[in-house]
Amino acid sequence: MKTQKHTSTTKLIASFDNTLKNIIMSDLKAIKAKTPYLTPAA
């Protein structure tokens, strides 16, 4: 019986996703700080 272990790949993908999300969010915050008229008027 074959057993496939994907935990290291899953952890790598999760780490990549979190890093990418942090980069995108920091970029978005920087853009919003420079252009306050882009913020939604809730």
Side-chain angles (χ1 to χ4, degrees):
M1 180 184 267
K2 277 187 174 179
T3 356
Q4 295 179 353
K5 193 171 185 181
H6 295 286
T7 55
S8 60
T9 306
T10 304
K11 287 179 184 177
L12 179 64
I13 292 171
S15 173
F16 176 78
D17 285 346
N18 287 334
T19 304
L20 185 61
K21 179 183 167 189
N22 288 337
I23 291 170
I24 292 172
M25 292 303 286
S26 66
D27 286 350
L28 183 61
K29 285 179 186 176
I31 291 170
K32 282 185 178 181
K34 287 184 179 181
T35 54
Y37 55 85
L38 288 180
T39 56

